[in-house]
Amino acid sequence: MKSTEDILEINKRQKEFYNSDSKTKTNFASTLWFKFRNGALNDFRSKFDIKDRVYDEHKVWLGDLSDKKVLDLGCLRGNALSLHMAKNTKEYIGIDLSDVAIASLQKRIESENCPNAQAIAVDFLSPEFHQSNFDIIYAYGVLHHFENFDLLVSKLKEKLSSNGVIISYDPLETSFPIKVLRTVYRPFQSDKDWEWPFTKSVLNKINNNFKIEEIRGVLGKSKYGVFLNLLPLNDAYKSRVISKMVDNDWNCTKISDLYSCMHATMVLRKI
């Protein structure tokens, strides 16, 4: 397992990756996956309101932010809720490795006149990031970037307030077909050094270190609806069947229900 020093070095490369607009950071395999993810898969998620459903739920989970100190972890140029948090919290700090992305977010914060908000280019694991006592850590597509998950858990607990929560959204590698696809793709993956989708072992570590207050599954059995949606069948029938699958994934009740899913979102409370 990599040490803090090893990960900080990897994160320097990650910073360069996200600071660069060069096409050299992608290859044929990653370009093909990008086109599928942002093509047929994205169309499917839009049609069945999957992406908006996640953000809408997160907004509910965030609740009244007027007395909250919030960390927007790995926010890049700002996610769909960054400005909502920046405008409504007692204190908002958005951080990312990319100074280019953070400069863009800081301009947005200033243009929206958010006096209690700031964006900082810093590594979450670095001693340079000294802020703590966060009521909420919002981590959209971020926690799976840490190979040493035990180290991440320790740092999250250190930065949270005594009753603080984490709102997360991350990819999973818990179902057999997805694990096979990721295994085949990984040797060609440009960002493989910091892409570690959650395994069953990681989900168990989460369960052992935090109180899981809410869980939602995304693209479990409903992922097969992508192909069903392409078949020449009655549209009303396809929509009815796929919507039911989406709801069944979403309304899971325990960690093991997530194993068939491609993504999971959770509310984790410090214990």
Side-chain angles (χ1 to χ4, degrees), residues 67-73 89-95 116 118 120 122 124 129-138 155-166 268-270:
D67 63 343
K68 297 293 191 294
K69 181 179 180 180
V70 175
L71 173 65
D72 196 357
L73 177 59
T89 53
K90 180 178 69 175
E91 183 178 357
Y92 167 91
I93 299 175
I95 70 169
N116 300 322
Q118 61 176 320
I120 305 171
V122 68
F124 180 62
F129 181 58
H130 55 81
Q131 291 89 343
S132 61
N133 203 36
F134 291 98
D135 300 299
I136 300 172
I137 295 179
Y138 185 71
K155 184 62 69 170
L156 289 168
K157 289 181 175 180
E158 174 189 324
K159 296 298 184 180
L160 281 170
S161 64
S162 59
N163 198 37
V165 299
I166 301 163
L268 312 173
R269 189 168 298 277
K270 183 178 178 179

Side-chain angles (χ1 to χ4, degrees), residues 59 137 201 221:
K59 198 169 183 179
I137 295 179
S201 173
K221 290 183 179 179

Side-chain angles (χ1 to χ4, degrees), residues 27-271:
N27 52 40
F28 176 76
S30 56
T31 299
L32 190 65
W33 168 244
F34 179 85
K35 287 183 176 179
F36 171 69
R37 186 183 64 190
N38 292 280
L41 186 57
N42 196 50
D43 291 344
F44 177 79
R45 292 196 299 171
S46 296
K47 181 176 180 179
F48 293 95
D49 197 31
I50 294 173
K51 189 170 185 178
D52 287 343
R53 179 185 288 207
V54 172
Y55 281 123
D56 289 346
E57 188 78 334
H58 286 180
K59 198 169 183 179
V60 172
W61 288 347
L62 286 168
D64 180 4
L65 296 170
S66 59
D67 63 343
K68 297 293 191 294
K69 181 179 180 180
V70 175
L71 173 65
D72 196 357
L73 177 59
C75 56
L76 207 62
R77 291 172 175 81
N79 52 66
L81 293 178
S82 291
L83 286 182
H84 167 73
M85 292 185 286
K87 291 176 182 178
N88 294 287
T89 53
K90 180 178 69 175
E91 183 178 357
Y92 167 91
I93 299 175
I95 70 169
D96 196 88
L97 295 169
S98 171
D99 50 342
V100 174
I102 281 298
S104 176
L105 177 58
Q106 182 62 32
K107 285 182 180 179
R108 294 175 65 196
I109 288 172
E110 291 171 0
S111 68
E112 294 290 335
N113 190 27
C114 305
N116 300 322
Q118 61 176 320
I120 305 171
V122 68
D123 192 318
F124 180 62
L125 298 180
S126 168
E128 295 175 14
F129 181 58
H130 55 81
Q131 291 89 343
S132 61
N133 203 36
F134 291 98
D135 300 299
I136 300 172
I137 295 179
Y138 185 71
Y140 188 96
V142 177
L143 302 187
H144 71 284
H145 285 173
F146 297 81
E147 181 183 6
N148 188 334
F149 201 76
D150 293 326
L151 177 63
L152 173 62
V153 167
S154 176
K155 184 62 69 170
L156 289 168
K157 289 181 175 180
E158 174 189 324
K159 296 298 184 180
L160 281 170
S161 64
S162 59
N163 198 37
V165 299
I166 301 163
I167 297 175
S168 68
Y169 179 84
D170 289 279
L172 305 178
E173 191 176 288
T174 49
S175 71
F176 180 73
I178 297 303
K179 186 171 184 177
V180 170
L181 286 173
R182 290 193 180 279
T183 300
V184 171
Y185 170 55
R186 189 164 184 81
F188 309 99
Q189 190 173 351
S190 314
D191 52 356
K192 62 184 177 182
D193 287 343
W194 53 86
E195 284 289 325
W196 303 97
F198 289 174
T199 61
K200 292 179 182 179
S201 173
V202 169
L203 289 177
N204 285 332
K205 287 182 180 181
I206 290 172
N207 195 33
N208 291 334
N209 283 279
F210 298 95
K211 178 184 178 184
I212 301 177
E213 296 196 335
E214 301 279 358
I215 57 171
R216 301 284 184 268
V218 177
L219 295 174
K221 290 183 179 179
S222 62
K223 62 180 170 286
Y224 303 114
V226 175
F227 306 105
L228 175 61
N229 193 46
L230 299 174
L231 296 177
L233 300 173
N234 179 271
D235 284 343
Y237 168 76
K238 290 191 292 186
S239 293
R240 185 170 63 253
V241 172
I242 294 171
S243 293
K244 184 176 181 180
M245 290 194 295
V246 169
D247 287 341
N248 286 340
D249 293 338
W250 186 255
N251 295 313
C252 56
T253 58
K254 54 186 184 297
I255 283 289
S256 58
D257 292 339
L258 297 174
Y259 291 170
S260 66
C261 297
M262 289 181 65
H263 294 85
T265 183
M266 296 177 275
V267 178
L268 312 173
R269 189 168 298 277
K270 183 178 178 179
I271 54 176

